[in-house]
């Protein structure tokens, strides 16, 4: 349609909306068409706009016209819609029609600590600030939909994308994801929870067919998505690459039509993962609303011309297209795409402060023998910082969650800036697959690197080895899984010998999950898990190492002594064979397995030390009167206890509440996380902590009833500072069966 004609048509359309016949002089100001009137309810605007769209225009709404956009429809004032990665910040512009950076110079952004680090804070308030930060930067960058949070469960420690996800527990993931989404969407930026569902490995991710029993699906793999939809009101969901029970997740009738849209009442849009669409009929009829990233010319996308043919041949009712268009319009209008949007803010000090707060609260003190930490900044004179990860930057790697960070403070820079009066030196110590830019001249071999580091450590007050993984293939990277838990590049030998040379050795692990520590842990007094800690990571690490703040992070995933102790590996149920992976472990994922099998992990789920100590006392279980009509979240029990800081430093404790069914009718894990509270206490301060437990805290999914049920019976409410360090326990009897409409 020519521009002039389009303008005339647009003017005509607008006039149609205004009262006809009133004399010019009395005519009220031309009313905006309903769909353009921001004072009207979204649904009214959606329906008004939908009826104005032609078939071809509706089709433009349901597939991409570049890597990260859908087409504008100028005739109706519909702008180009922008989607952007990712879960850790606003990615640099890519494309428009390939995977190369667009080459902009104004698209640096705030790089927040990765998803698993945010989970390790166990702080929902920080999760809200996290979502707000990305939302504000998305507005500033003109993005309507952000492709995060990413919430797949850590089924195996080897999954290359575990660093993006929130750990092994569905309850913790759900509690952190809901405020993340609310924080972002309050700014009129749509969040897109991903990857729905069962994308728990990168190996054969585009084709692997997942076989999983219904209870594990419902109780482990879906709850975070369910919370995102029902509590977070997430506006978009991204289908996963894999199949479930033989059907691609991006157009899986059970996952999309029956569960997500049917049972959960999801009214937003379902988009495919990029090139995750494989069939027009399935995409049309099984609930896919927006096709992205298909490796075809845009007109040949499954939901483009092939879909049009399907409709014109009567193979699919027009109502199917209308529903897809409606859902896209609902998200567009709901995020102000047709109205002026707030300006947002990019790379602000406040955003960088949030990055630092998340990093500081994410760091987990795994071991601290002889209270080697915190180091005294006034006394330490010479420090040797060892390792490639002391100087390597990680923000701009890892796959789609990469960020072109405005800056990135490395551990070496953070430590040096924290103790300007000390002599802080660096030794590379080990090398990973690819050298970091400032690799030592001559590319020395591993033995030379170790010898230099050991000699330097021997002559220093303190040796800090910053090791772990990076985003290279078969480490923490999208598109590949790790092959084992080993530290690459000869790090084990390095750490062992450095610790021998200097008893004041600290190991800092930069990774998205557990590594093999057995070769050196016994002789290493202090170990810190620092994750990929965002652009302020170096400053946050230094603040912890020198005691400006006590560590308060808690592991969101079990760190096993050896890979074979982990369920998927103990059962030989990873990575699958013949194109299918069977989740043989069922419900027993993560600590659920270690508890059920009596296997002692290296560091348990929920573990994390502090620079102070906490005392738990006076447990009591209160039972509020619950009206029969009350929802599943209405407390049926409130666990109260006193927590006191019995040390000499301020510190935050994460009080964790696990529920153990005493004699369940169906098999259930020995205990499951059903509540937590993070409490900051000054030295000597005590607070009463309350954790409310709704019926859903006692419930399980009954496949026979196709429903969640809480059955009367005995339970134990266990309060711990980790899943294994139970400090208090109290009996609780659920007196009646309760249907649990979640
Ligand atoms: C990728 C990822 C997904 C990302 C998308 C766009 O393959 O699986 O998380 O948002 O494609 O980059």
């Amino acid at each position: 349609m020519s521009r002039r004609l389009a303008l005339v048509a647009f003017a005509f359309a607008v006039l149609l909306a205004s009262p006809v016949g009133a004399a010019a002089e009395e005519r009220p100001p031309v009313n905006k068409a309903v769909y353009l009137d921001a004072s009207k309810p979204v649904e009214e605007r959606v329906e008004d706009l939908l009826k104005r769209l032609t078939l071809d225009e509706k089709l433009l709404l349901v597939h991409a016209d570049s890597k990260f956009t859908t087409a504008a429809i100028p005739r109706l004032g519909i702008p180009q819609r922008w989607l952007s990665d990712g879960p850790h910040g606003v990615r640099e512009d890519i494309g428009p029609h390939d995977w190369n950076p667009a080459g902009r110079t104004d698209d640096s952004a705030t790089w927040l600590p990765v998803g698993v680090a945010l989970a390790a804070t166990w702080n929902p308030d920080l999760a809200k600030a996290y979502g707000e930060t990305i939302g504000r930067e998305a507005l500033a960058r003109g993005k309507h939909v952000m492709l995060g949070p990413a919430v797949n469960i850590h089924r195996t420690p080897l999954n290359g994308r575990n660093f993006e996800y929130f750990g092994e527990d569905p309850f913790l993931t759900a509690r952190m994801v809901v405020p993340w989404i609310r924080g972002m969407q309050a700014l009129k930026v749509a969040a897109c929870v991903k990857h729905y569902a069962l994308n728990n490995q990168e190996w054969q991710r585009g084709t692997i067919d997942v076989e999983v029993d219904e209870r594990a699906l419902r109780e482990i793999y879906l709850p975070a998505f369910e919370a995102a939809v029902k509590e977070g009101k997430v506006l978009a969901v991204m289908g996963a690459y894999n199949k479930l029970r033989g059907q691609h997740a991006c157009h899986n009738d059970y996952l999309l039509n029956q569960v997500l849209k049917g049972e959960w009442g999801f009214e937003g849009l379902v988009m495919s993962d990029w090139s995750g669409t494989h069939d027009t009929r399935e995409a049309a009829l099984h609930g896919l609303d927006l096709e992205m990233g298909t490796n075809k010319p845009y007109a040949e996308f499954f939901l483009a011309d092939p879909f049009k043919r399907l409709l014109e041949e009567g193979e699919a009712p027009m109502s199917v297209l209308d529903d897809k268009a409606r859902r896209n319009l609902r998200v567009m209008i709901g995020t102000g795409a047709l109205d002026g949007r707030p300006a947002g803010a990019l790379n602000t000090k406040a955003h960088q402060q949030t990055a630092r707060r998340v990093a500081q609260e994410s760091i987990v003190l795994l071991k601290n023998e002889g209270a080697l930490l915190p180091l005294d900044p006034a006394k330490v004179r010479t420090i040797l910082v060892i390792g490639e990860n002391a100087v390597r930057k990680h923000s701009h790697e890892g796959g789609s969650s990469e960020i072109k960070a405005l800056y990135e403070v490395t551990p070496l820079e953070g430590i040096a800036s924290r103790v300007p009066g000390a002599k802080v030196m660096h030794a590379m110590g080990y090398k990973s697959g690819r050298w970091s830019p400032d690799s030592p001249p001559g590319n020395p071999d591993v033995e030379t690197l170790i010898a230099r580091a050991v000699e330097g450590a021997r002559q220093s007050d303190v040796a800090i080895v910053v090791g772990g993984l990076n985003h290279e293939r078969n480490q923490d990277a999208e598109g590949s899984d790790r092959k084992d838990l080993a530290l690459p590049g000869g790090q084990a030998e390095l750490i062992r010998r450095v610790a021998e040379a200097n008893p004041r050795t600290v190991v800092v692990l930069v990774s998205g999950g557990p590594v093999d520590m057995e070769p050196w842990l016994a002789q290493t007094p202090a170990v810190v898990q620092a994750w990929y800690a965002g652009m302020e990571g170096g400053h946050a690490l230094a603040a912890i190492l020198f005691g400006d703040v006590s560590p308060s992070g808690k592991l969101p995933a079990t760190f096993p002594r050896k890979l074979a102790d982990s369920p998927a590996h103990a059962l030989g149920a990873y990575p699958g064979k013949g194109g299918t992976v069977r989740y043989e472990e069922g419900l027993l994922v993560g600590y659920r397995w270690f508890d059920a099998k009596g296997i002692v992990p290296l560091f348990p789920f929920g573990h994390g030390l502090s620079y102070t100590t906490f005392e738990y006392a006076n447990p009591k279980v209160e039972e509020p009167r619950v009206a029969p009509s009350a929802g599943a979240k209405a407390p049926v029990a409130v666990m109260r206890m006193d927590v006191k800081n019995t040390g000499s430093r301020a510190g935050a404790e994460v009080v964790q509440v696990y529920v153990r069914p005493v004699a369940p009718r169906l098999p259930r894990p020995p205990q499951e996380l059903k509540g937590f509270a993070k409490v900051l206490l000054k030295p000597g301060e005590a607070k009463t902590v309350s954790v409310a437990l709704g019926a859903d805290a006692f419930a399980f999914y009954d496949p026979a009833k196709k429903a969640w049920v809480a059955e009367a019976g005995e339970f134990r409410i266990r309060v711990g500072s980790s899943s294994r360090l139970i400090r208090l326990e109290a009996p609780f009897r659920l007196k009646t069966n309760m249907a649990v409409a979640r």
Side-chain angles (χ1 to χ4, degrees):
M1 179 184 284
S2 76
R3 180 170 165 67
R4 181 175 148 62
L5 182 59
L7 284 175
V8 169
F10 178 68
F12 182 68
V14 168
L15 279 177
L16 266 184
S18 56
V20 179
E25 57 281 4
E26 296 108 53
R27 177 171 294 154
V30 172
N31 292 332
K32 282 181 178 175
V34 166
Y35 77 92
L36 289 173
D37 184 343
S39 71
K40 293 281 192 274
V42 171
E43 287 311 303
E44 237 181 276
R45 298 177 70 186
V46 166
E47 293 310 318
D48 179 56
L49 181 47
L50 183 64
K51 68 175 187 278
R52 299 166 187 264
L53 291 167
T54 65
L55 170 62
D56 287 336
E57 288 167 340
K58 291 174 188 173
L59 286 166
L60 287 178
L61 293 174
V62 302
H63 67 81
D65 75 333
S66 84
K67 275 293 179 217
F68 286 96
T69 60
T70 58
I73 303 174
R75 178 178 79 83
L76 291 165
I78 296 174
Q80 189 174 37
R81 175 178 33 167
W82 277 92
L83 295 77
S84 169
D85 286 314
H88 308 144
V90 184
R91 188 179 184 182
E92 66 187 315
D93 274 15
I94 297 288
H97 305 297
D98 57 29
W99 286 104
N100 300 316
R104 298 182 63 139
T105 55
D106 62 352
D107 56 357
S108 295
T110 296
W111 178 46
L112 292 157
V114 297
V116 73
L118 176 61
T121 71
W122 293 58
N123 185 336
D125 294 340
L126 277 183
K128 180 171 180 288
Y130 194 103
E132 285 170 346
T133 297
I134 301 180
R136 263 193 296 277
E137 301 216 345
L139 285 171
R141 291 275 308 285
K143 310 301 181 185
H144 300 94
V145 184
M146 285 305 301
L147 305 174
V151 303
N152 295 96
I153 293 294
H154 290 198
R155 173 180 180 255
T156 163
L158 302 186
N159 178 19
R161 294 185 80 172
N162 277 350
F163 72 98
E164 294 184 56
Y165 304 152
F166 288 67
E168 71 191 27
D169 184 78
F171 181 86
L172 175 62
T173 302
R175 292 306 104 216
M176 297 298 282
V177 151
V178 168
W180 195 116
I181 291 164
R182 286 177 174 162
M184 174 176 285
Q185 297 194 160
L187 296 167
K188 284 188 168 284
V189 175
C192 177
V193 67
K194 69 186 186 181
H195 307 86
Y196 182 70
L198 296 141
N199 182 185
N200 305 104
Q201 63 187 53
E202 288 300 285
W203 192 77
Q204 292 188 345
R205 70 173 178 169
T207 55
I208 196 80
D209 185 10
V210 176
E211 290 293 342
V212 61
D213 68 82
E214 192 64 13
R215 285 194 64 201
L217 176 65
R218 297 285 186 151
E219 296 186 36
I220 302 293
Y221 298 102
L222 293 188
F225 292 99
E226 185 174 8
V229 168
K230 291 183 176 175
E231 297 175 57
K233 305 297 179 206
V234 74
L235 288 169
V237 172
M238 184 189 296
Y241 278 127
N242 51 280
K243 296 175 189 170
L244 169 65
R245 299 169 185 163
Q247 208 168 67
H248 271 285
C250 288
H251 30 79
N252 184 295
D253 184 57
Y254 182 65
L255 281 177
L256 300 181
N257 283 341
Q258 295 182 45
V259 177
L260 178 66
K261 296 179 178 180
E263 286 180 42
W264 300 349
F266 176 63
E267 296 190 331
L269 70 87
V270 174
M271 71 174 77
S272 70
D273 199 338
W274 269 237
S275 74
T277 310
H278 301 275
D279 179 278
T280 290
R281 176 182 303 279
E282 285 197 4
L285 300 176
H286 292 175
L288 181 64
D289 303 306
L290 175 58
E291 178 183 354
M292 298 302 295
T294 301
N295 294 321
K296 290 172 179 285
Y298 301 110
E300 295 171 28
F301 272 39
F302 296 94
L303 286 184
D305 291 350
F307 184 26
K308 184 174 178 180
R309 285 195 293 277
L310 203 71
L311 292 161
E312 286 169 339
E313 289 155 11
E315 299 283 303
M318 200 55 73
S319 61
V320 160
L321 173 58
D322 284 348
D323 181 58
K324 298 178 196 301
R326 182 175 287 116
R327 289 170 179 275
N328 280 279
L329 293 177
R330 185 174 290 138
V331 175
M332 292 173 88
I333 292 172
T335 54
L338 302 187
D339 318 315
R341 298 176 80 214
L346 192 57
N347 293 317
T348 63
K349 280 279 166 261
H351 293 175
Q352 291 147 15
Q353 268 311 312
T354 297
R356 179 162 176 168
R357 281 173 53 217
V358 174
Q360 274 176 193
E361 289 204 30
S362 73
I363 291 173
V364 182
L365 179 56
L366 295 175
K367 179 180 179 185
N368 192 22
E369 217 161 64
L372 172 59
L373 292 177
L375 303 172
D376 185 339
K379 290 191 179 142
V380 71
R381 305 309 320 142
T382 55
I383 302 175
L384 180 68
V385 183
I386 301 165
E388 181 183 87
N389 273 349
V391 294
R392 182 167 181 153
K393 299 192 176 184
H394 301 278
S395 53
H396 212 182
E397 299 180 328
S400 59
S401 64
E402 63 177 6
I403 295 295
K404 182 160 79 173
L406 186 70
Y407 62 81
E408 180 178 345
V409 180
T410 65
L412 180 63
E413 290 162 343
I415 291 165
S417 70
R418 177 63 188 79
V419 282
K423 186 178 177 200
V424 179
M425 299 155 287
H426 177 245
M428 193 58 85
Y430 74 93
K431 58 182 182 177
S432 66
R434 273 198 329 264
W435 273 91
S436 45
D438 53 356
S439 53
N443 201 2
D445 64 17
V446 173
E447 180 44 42
T448 306
L449 290 172
I450 293 178
R452 283 179 188 163
V454 168
E455 193 43 41
R458 206 187 307 284
Q459 297 163 27
S460 303
D461 291 346
V462 175
I464 301 174
V465 182
V466 185
L469 305 174
N470 56 50
H471 290 314
E472 291 178 25
R473 185 164 177 72
N474 297 125
Q475 294 195 44
D476 287 317
E478 179 177 342
S480 70
D481 288 341
R482 296 165 62 185
K483 293 192 180 311
D484 52 38
L485 295 184
L487 282 170
Q491 290 180 59
E493 179 65 7
L494 166 72
I495 295 168
R496 196 182 62 71
R497 287 168 54 185
V498 165
E500 267 175 359
N502 186 331
R504 289 162 56 80
T505 290
V506 179
V507 170
V508 176
L509 295 170
V510 173
S511 70
V515 298
D516 179 11
M517 303 187 206
E518 190 278 327
W520 47 266
L521 183 62
Q523 60 264 54
T524 305
V527 184
V528 164
Q529 175 65 28
W531 316 109
Y532 298 99
M535 64 200 302
E536 281 285 336
H539 287 318
L541 175 64
I544 295 284
L545 294 178
F546 292 98
D548 302 335
V549 59
S550 282
S552 64
K554 298 282 186 178
L555 290 180
T558 302
F559 279 23
R561 290 188 180 285
K562 56 184 186 304
L563 184 61
D565 287 348
S566 286
H569 302 269
L571 297 169
Y574 165 87
K577 40 184 168 294
T580 298
V581 59
R582 288 179 176 76
Y583 288 15
E584 311 275 4
E585 71 283 359
L587 295 168
L588 300 182
V589 174
Y591 67 88
R592 292 165 166 82
W593 170 265
F594 286 79
D595 292 348
K597 303 300 179 185
I599 300 171
V600 179
L602 184 62
F603 296 108
F605 175 83
H607 171 74
L609 302 176
S610 171
Y611 292 150
T612 187
T613 49
F614 300 100
E615 187 181 270
Y616 288 58
N618 310 323
K620 58 173 150 303
V621 180
E622 290 170 7
E623 299 186 38
R625 188 179 306 287
V626 179
S629 59
K633 304 281 180 205
V636 295
V638 178
M639 182 74 213
R640 270 191 224 291
M641 84 272 337
D642 296 334
V643 181
K644 182 175 183 180
N645 179 340
T646 48
S648 58
R649 286 173 177 270
E653 170 70 321
V654 178
V655 174
Q656 301 157 44
V657 177
Y658 296 85
V659 171
R660 176 199 294 277
V662 172
R665 174 171 62 85
L666 295 184
R668 297 188 66 180
Q671 61 176 5
E672 297 181 290
L673 179 74
K674 294 296 180 186
F676 63 88
K678 187 162 194 174
V679 57
L680 181 59
L681 295 168
K682 300 187 192 69
E685 183 183 14
K687 282 180 184 168
T688 299
V689 177
S690 301
V691 177
L693 300 172
D696 56 347
F698 303 90
F700 62 93
Y701 185 80
D702 183 343
K705 295 177 181 161
K706 293 188 179 358
W708 283 85
V709 294
E711 293 184 343
E714 300 298 330
F715 292 85
R716 293 285 178 272
I717 301 176
R718 299 156 56 86
V719 179
S721 43
S722 87
S723 61
R724 289 266 165 148
L725 188 51
I726 299 302
R727 311 291 292 267
L728 300 169
E729 183 162 343
F732 173 72
R733 174 169 170 62
L734 189 65
K735 295 181 180 56
T736 59
N737 292 348
M738 300 177 80
V740 176
R742 288 161 55 106

